[in-house]
C-alpha cells in the first residue's frame, strides 16, 4: 500500500531525503549542547575560569545557531515535500477516478470518493510530513540523549532504564484504546459528505418541500457522530499530557535527589547534573512525541488504505489491446444481450436480440424500470453486457477504443447537465473546434436557437452551474444541440425531451430526420406521440422485448402498447374535456 502511494512523491523525492538528513544533524547538535553547558558550569563557572567560559560559550552559541538553521531547513523541506506529495497524490487519484466506469463509481459511492480526495489526502500529507521529520527526530533524540546521559553518568542513567519502560507501557495503553476510535471517524466523514452532497444537489427540491429543518437535523446527526467519536478519542489522548507531566516531575525529583547525594559524595559535578536534567526532558519528551507519532500514523493508515484502494481499483471499462478506432456506420445489433448490475439479483436486461439499421429512427417505450435506459447505455459501453454481444457498425463495442466509440454514439439523458460557462462554451463540449455557425446550426435543429436569440447576450449568455438559469425544456434542447455537435453516427435520446412540449419535440425529430438522415436516432419516451413516427418501436417489459413494430403494427399486435396508447389518448381526451392543455411542459420560453 505504501509503495503505491509513494509513487506520487516524484519530484519531491530529494526534499524528502534532505529533511531526515538535516534532522539528524539538528538532533546531534541539540544533544551536544547540554553536555557543553555542563562543562562550562564545572570547568568555567565553578573554578572561575573566564577564558574557558568565553571560548566554550562561543562554541555553544555557534552550535545553537547552526542547529536553528538546520532545524528550520528540515522543517521547510518536510512541509514542502509533504504538500507536493499530497498535490501529486490528489491529481493521481482524481485522474484515476476519471478513468472509472459507472460500475467503478457505484462501487465506492460518490461521497466516499470525495472524502478520499479531501480529508484522507490531508491526513496522509500530515503523516508524510511527520514521517520525514518528527518520526526521525523523536527516536534519534531519544537514542542520542540516552547515549549522552550514559556518558555523563552511568549510575544516573540507570534511572531512565526504570522510568522509560513504565512510561512506554502507559502511553501504549492510551494509544491502543484511542486508535480504534480514530479509525471509525472516516466512515463518519463519508456519511457527512453524503449528506452535504445530496443536500446541494437537491437544494431546489428541498426548498420546494420546505425541508430545510429536516436537512439541518440530518447534518447535525452526521456532524455530531464525528464530534462524539473525536472527543472520545481526544479525551483519551489528552491523558498523555498529565501522565507526561507526572512522569517528568517524578523523574526530575529522583534525578535531583540522587544527583544531590552524588554531588555531596563527589561522584557527580553540578554541571553534569544540569546536563542530566536537560537529557531527562529530552528523553521523556521524545517518548511522548513517539506515542503521538504512532497514533497519527496509525490513524492515517486508514486514510492511506482508502486512497490506495482507489488507486488500485481497475477501471472496469478500458480500451482493448488492439482497439478498432473507426466506427463504420450507425447500425446497432443486440445479440442475446443480458445485463445485471453489480450487487443486483436479477438482470435488468435479459436475453435481448435486436437489429437497428443505420439512419433508422427507433422508439423505445415501456413501464418505468423495464430496462430501457439500461439497454441503451450498453451501446456507448457505459456498462458492459453480462452476456451476449452489442455490435455497433458490425463490431463488438468491447473491441473499440472508447474515444471513437463515444464520439460516434452521443447520448442525451433526461437530466443531462449543463456546466457553468457561456452557451457557446457549453455546446462546444460536443466539438471544441465548431465554428459559431456550426454551433448555431446544431441549436436550430434542437429548436434551441429561437430562445437563445431572445436572450440579451444570445450565445454568450452565461449558464450557471447545473444550468440553473434555464428552464428544464431549454436545458434539454441545449443538451441535444451539444450532442448533435459531435456529429454522431448514433444519437440516443433517453427521455430527453420529456420537458419539451410535443409540438417542439415534433420539430426536433423532423429536423433530425430530414437534415441528418444517416444518423441513427434512438429515442426513449413515455409518450406514444413522441415515437409514433419511428421506423420501429420497441416495447420493453421487465427487461425483455415484448414487441417490435411500427405504431400501426403494434396497435394491432401488442397488448402493452395498445394499453399505453389507449390510456394516453384517454388522458388527452380528459384534459381537453376539462379545458386544459396536454402539452404542459415548457410550452413557453423563459
Ligand atoms: N445503477 C444501477 N444499479 C443497480 N440497479 C439499477 C441501476 N440502474 C437501474 N437499475 C435497475 O435496473 C432496472 C431497469 O432500470 P432502467 O433505468 O433501465 O429502467 P427504465 O426502463 O429506463 O426506467 P425509467 O423509465 O424509470 O427510466 C430497474 O429495476 C432499476 O432499479
Amino acid at each position: 500500500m505504501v509503495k503505491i502511494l509513494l509513487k506520487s512523491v516524484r519530484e519531491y523525492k530529494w526534499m524528502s531525503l534532505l529533511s531526515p538528513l538535516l534532522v539528524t544533524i539538528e538532533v546531534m547538535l541539540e544533544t551536544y549542547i547540554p553536555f557543553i553547558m555542563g562543562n562550562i558550569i564545572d570547568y568555567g563557572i565553578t573554578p572561575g575560569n573566564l577564558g574557558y567560559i568565553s571560548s566554550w560559550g562561543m562554541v555553544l552559541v555557534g552550535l545553537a545557531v547552526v542547529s536553528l538553521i538546520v532545524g528550520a531547513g528540515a522543517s521547510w523541506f518536510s512541509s514542502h515535500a509533504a504538500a507536493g506529495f499530497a498535490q501529486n497524490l490528489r491529481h493521481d487519484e482524481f485522474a484515476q477516478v476519471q478513468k472509472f466506469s459507472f460500475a467503478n463509481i457505484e462501487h465506492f459511492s460518490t461521497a466516499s470518493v470525495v472524502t478520499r480526495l479531501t480529508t484522507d489526502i490531508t491526513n496522509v500529507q500530515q503523516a508524510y510530513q511527520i514521517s520525514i521529520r518528527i518520526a526521525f527526530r523523536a527516536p534519534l533524540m531519544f537514542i542520542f540523549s540516552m547515549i549522552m546521559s550514559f556518558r555523563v553518568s552511568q549510575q544516573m542513567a540507570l534511572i531512565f532504564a526504570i522510568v522509560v519502560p513504565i512510561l512506554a507501557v502507559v502511553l501504549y495503553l492510551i494509544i491502543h484504546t484511542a486508535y480504534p476510535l480514530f479509525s471509525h471517524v472516516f466512515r463518519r466523514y463519508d456519511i457527512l459528505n453524503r449528506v452535504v452532497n445530496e443536500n446541494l444537489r437537491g437544494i431546489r427540491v428541498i426548498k420546494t418541500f420546505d425541508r430545510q429543518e429536516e436537512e439541518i437535523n440530518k447534518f447535525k446527526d452526521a456532524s455530531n457522530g464525528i464530534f462524539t467519536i473525536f472527543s472520545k478519542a481526544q479525551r483519551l489522548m489528552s491523558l498523555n499530557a498529565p501522565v507526561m507531566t507526572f512522569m517528568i516531575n517524578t523523574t526530575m525529583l529522583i534525578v535531583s535527589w540522587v544527583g544531590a547525594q552524588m554531588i555531596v559524595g563527589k561522584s557527580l559535578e553540578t554541571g553534569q547534573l544540569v546536563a542530566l536534567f536537560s537529557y531527562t526532558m529530552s528523553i521523556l519528551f521524545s517518548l511522548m512525541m513517539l506515542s503521538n507519532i504512532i497514533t497519527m500514523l496509525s490513524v492515517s493508515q486508514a486514510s492511506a488504505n482508502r486512497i490506495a484502494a482507489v488507486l488500485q481499483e481497475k477501471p472496469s471499462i478500458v480500451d482493448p489491446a488492439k482497439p478498432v478506432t473507426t466506427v463504420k456506420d450507425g447500425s446497432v445489433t443486440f445479440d442475446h444481450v443480458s445485463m445485471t448490475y453489480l450487487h443486483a439479483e436479477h438482470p435488468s436486461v435479459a436475453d435481448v436480440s435486436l437489429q437497428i439499421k443505420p439512419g433508422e429512427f427507433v422508439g423505445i417505450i415501456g413501464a418505468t424500470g423495464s430496462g430501457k435506459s439500461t439497454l441503451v447505455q450498453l451501446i456507448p459501453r457505459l456498462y458492459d453486457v453480462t452476456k451476449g454481444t452489442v455490435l455497433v457498425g458490425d463490431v463488438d463495442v468491447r473491441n473499440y477504443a472508447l474515444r471513437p466509440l463515444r464520439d460516434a454514439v452521443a447520448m442525451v439523458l433526461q437530466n443531462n447537465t449543463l456546466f457553468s460557462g457561456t452557451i457557446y462554451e457549453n455546446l462546444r463540449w460536443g466539438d471544441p473546434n465548431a465554428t459559431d455557425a456550426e454551433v448555431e446550426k446544431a441549436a436550430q435543429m434542437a429548436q434551441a436557437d429561437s430562445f437563445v436569440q431572445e436572450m440579451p447576450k444570445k450565445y454568450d449568455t452565461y449558464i450557471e452551474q447545473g444550468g440553473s438559469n434555464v428552464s428544464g425544456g431549454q436545458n434539454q434542447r441545449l443538451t441535444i444541440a451539444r450532442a448533435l455537435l459531435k456529429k454522431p453516427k448514433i444519437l440516443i435520446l433517453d427521455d430527453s425531451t420529456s420537458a419539451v412540449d410535443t409540438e417542439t419535440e415534433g420539430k426536433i425529430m423532423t429536423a433530425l430526420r430530414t437534415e441528418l438522415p444517416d444518423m441513427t436516432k434512438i429515442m426513449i419516451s413515455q409518450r406514444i406521440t413522441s415515437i409514433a413516427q419511428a421506423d420501429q418501436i420497441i416495447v420493453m417489459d421487465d427487461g425483455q422485448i415484448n414487441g417490435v413494430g411500427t405504431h400501426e403494427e403494434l396497435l394491432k399486435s401488442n397488448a402493452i402498447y395498445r394499453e399505453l396508447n389507449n390510456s394516453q389518448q384517454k388522458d388527452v381526451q380528459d384534459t381537453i374535456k376539462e379545458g386544459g392543455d396536454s402539452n404542459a411542459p415548457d410550452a413557453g420560453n423563459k
Side-chain angles (χ1 to χ4, degrees):
M1 176 265 293
V2 175
K3 244 189 196 169
I4 296 162
L5 299 194
L6 287 185
K7 276 188 198 154
S8 302
V9 174
R10 298 199 282 274
E11 68 270 34
Y12 297 95
K13 203 186 262 170
W14 68 269
M15 281 197 197
S16 307
L17 292 174
L18 261 180
S19 171
L21 186 76
L22 293 181
V23 164
T24 313
I25 300 171
E26 182 198 13
V27 171
M28 283 167 85
L29 295 175
E30 270 185 27
T31 43
Y32 203 56
I33 288 172
F35 186 73
I36 298 177
M37 284 271 273
N39 282 350
I40 291 179
I41 293 171
D42 293 339
Y43 307 117
I45 298 173
T46 313
N49 184 346
L50 285 179
Y52 191 94
I53 295 174
S54 58
S55 55
W56 279 102
M58 300 277 277
V59 174
L60 199 69
V61 172
L63 287 183
V65 171
V66 175
S67 154
L68 190 82
I69 294 170
V70 171
S75 175
W76 189 85
F77 282 127
S78 64
S79 56
H80 207 72
F85 166 56
Q87 184 193 34
N88 285 348
L89 198 57
R90 211 174 283 122
H91 285 180
D92 293 349
E93 200 185 344
F94 189 75
Q96 170 77 348
V97 172
Q98 300 310 302
K99 286 187 215 149
F100 279 0
S101 65
F102 286 4
N104 290 119
I105 290 176
E106 279 156 19
H107 177 197
F108 284 107
S109 92
T110 319
S112 180
V113 171
V114 173
T115 319
R116 287 163 207 249
L117 271 166
T118 50
T119 320
D120 285 332
I121 298 252
T122 311
N123 284 334
V124 168
Q125 176 179 345
Q126 276 173 0
Y128 189 70
Q129 189 171 348
I130 288 170
S131 305
I132 56 176
R133 197 170 101 82
I134 307 173
F136 272 88
R137 191 180 151 81
L140 281 175
M141 189 63 130
F142 179 80
I143 293 167
F144 283 128
S145 298
M146 279 300 249
I147 292 173
M148 291 306 284
S149 52
F150 263 95
R151 207 176 143 183
V152 173
S153 164
Q154 286 186 11
Q155 225 177 325
M156 289 286 281
L158 282 178
I159 296 173
F160 300 132
I162 299 163
V163 175
V164 165
I166 297 174
L167 185 59
V169 170
V170 176
L171 291 178
Y172 169 79
L173 288 177
I174 295 175
I175 294 169
H176 193 70
T177 335
Y179 171 62
L181 293 173
F182 275 120
S183 58
H184 274 121
V185 164
F186 299 101
R187 260 167 270 151
R188 298 279 173 160
Y189 270 124
D190 280 352
I191 298 174
L192 187 85
N193 277 340
R194 199 191 60 218
V195 172
V196 174
N197 204 329
E198 234 174 35
N199 176 282
L200 295 179
R201 279 165 175 266
I203 194 77
R204 282 157 186 265
V205 184
I206 289 162
K207 294 233 176 277
T208 320
F209 280 81
D210 198 24
R211 296 259 316 169
Q212 290 92 324
E213 221 26 68
E214 286 83 349
E215 286 295 300
I216 290 171
N217 288 338
K218 238 197 299 182
F219 183 84
K220 260 193 198 156
D221 284 346
S223 169
N224 284 348
I226 294 177
F227 170 77
T228 314
I229 295 188
F230 243 123
S231 49
K232 210 168 163 187
Q234 290 297 358
R235 260 201 310 275
L236 276 166
M237 292 304 289
S238 64
L239 284 177
N240 262 356
V243 168
M244 271 311 292
T245 318
F246 176 76
M247 293 306 278
I248 288 175
N249 288 338
T250 315
T251 316
M252 285 292 201
L253 270 177
I254 300 172
V255 170
S256 312
W257 192 68
V258 178
Q261 288 191 345
M262 287 175 73
I263 290 174
V264 173
K266 300 275 183 230
S267 56
L268 191 76
E269 301 290 335
T270 318
Q272 287 178 315
L273 185 62
V274 172
L276 280 170
F277 280 143
S278 182
Y279 291 133
T280 308
M281 297 291 277
S282 299
I283 289 169
L284 298 185
F285 266 121
S286 53
L287 259 186
M288 189 172 86
M289 245 198 285
L290 261 178
S291 78
N292 282 341
I293 291 165
I294 294 168
T295 321
M296 290 191 74
L297 291 187
S298 346
V299 169
S300 49
Q301 195 188 340
S303 289
N305 281 333
R306 288 157 54 90
I307 298 170
V310 173
L311 293 174
Q312 278 176 303
E313 171 91 356
K314 281 209 162 52
S316 62
I317 294 181
V318 287
D319 284 354
K322 286 187 184 150
V324 179
T325 51
T326 43
V327 178
K328 188 183 73 181
D329 58 41
S331 64
V332 181
T333 308
F334 286 86
D335 183 11
H336 295 285
V337 167
S338 296
M339 149 70 190
T340 309
Y341 284 104
L342 191 76
H343 307 309
E345 286 178 11
H346 305 290
S348 293
V349 163
D351 197 26
V352 166
S353 290
L354 180 68
Q355 194 87 43
I356 300 172
K357 293 193 207 80
E360 253 187 348
F361 171 20
V362 177
I364 304 180
I365 199 163
T368 52
S370 57
K372 304 180 295 291
S373 299
T374 308
L375 186 74
V376 294
Q377 283 177 8
L378 301 173
I379 303 172
R381 231 191 136 196
L382 294 177
Y383 288 94
D384 267 341
V385 296
T386 326
K387 271 196 216 146
T389 320
V390 177
L391 300 119
V392 167
D394 296 329
V395 174
D396 186 334
V397 286
R398 287 168 294 194
N399 293 337
Y400 282 113
L402 285 174
R403 173 58 73 92
L405 174 68
R406 289 184 184 165
D407 277 347
V409 184
M411 187 150 168
V412 188
L413 306 171
Q414 184 178 3
N415 298 320
N416 235 11
T417 320
L418 290 169
F419 293 84
S420 37
T422 64
I423 294 182
Y424 270 134
E425 284 164 359
N426 262 285
L427 299 198
R428 284 199 175 104
W429 272 53
D431 176 7
N433 303 318
T435 61
D436 288 359
E438 283 171 323
V439 172
E440 285 157 32
K441 177 73 195 158
Q444 279 161 11
M445 281 191 275
Q447 307 304 308
D449 183 67
S450 51
F451 72 80
V452 174
Q453 294 296 353
E454 283 171 22
M455 292 175 161
K457 288 189 174 171
K458 301 190 169 33
Y459 284 86
D460 287 313
T461 303
Y462 196 81
I463 302 286
E464 301 295 340
Q465 192 185 13
S468 57
N469 58 338
V470 287
S471 77
Q474 289 171 339
N475 187 315
Q476 288 188 335
R477 283 182 267 172
L478 287 172
T479 52
I480 293 172
R482 180 174 67 185
L484 288 176
L485 271 168
K486 281 173 85 174
K487 301 189 185 72
K489 292 200 164 62
I490 301 166
L491 175 71
I492 302 170
L493 303 175
D494 184 355
D495 225 355
S496 37
T497 47
S498 58
V500 177
D501 61 284
T502 38
E503 190 192 334
T504 310
E505 183 188 55
K507 282 184 189 163
I508 296 173
M509 293 320 289
T510 307
L512 295 184
R513 297 185 79 179
T514 51
E515 302 200 33
L516 300 166
D518 296 334
M519 181 181 76
T520 307
K521 298 157 262 308
I522 301 175
M523 184 179 202
I524 295 179
S525 181
Q526 306 284 357
R527 293 193 300 229
I528 297 257
T529 47
S530 309
I531 52 166
Q533 304 293 320
D535 300 312
Q536 58 171 331
I537 298 167
I538 293 138
V539 182
M540 292 291 293
D541 181 38
D542 200 15
Q544 291 179 318
I545 292 183
N546 184 273
V548 180
T550 59
H551 177 67
E552 279 71 27
E553 285 166 356
L554 286 171
L555 278 182
K556 282 187 206 132
S557 65
N558 191 278
I560 295 179
Y561 192 78
R562 211 168 28 240
E563 173 66 21
L564 272 169
N565 183 60
N566 291 344
S567 65
Q568 290 185 14
Q569 290 297 330
K570 191 170 169 294
D571 285 348
V572 173
Q573 297 304 329
D574 287 352
T575 320
I576 291 168
K577 258 190 236 153
E578 284 164 21
D581 176 10
S582 64
N583 298 337
D586 195 44
N589 293 333
K590 255 193 352 189

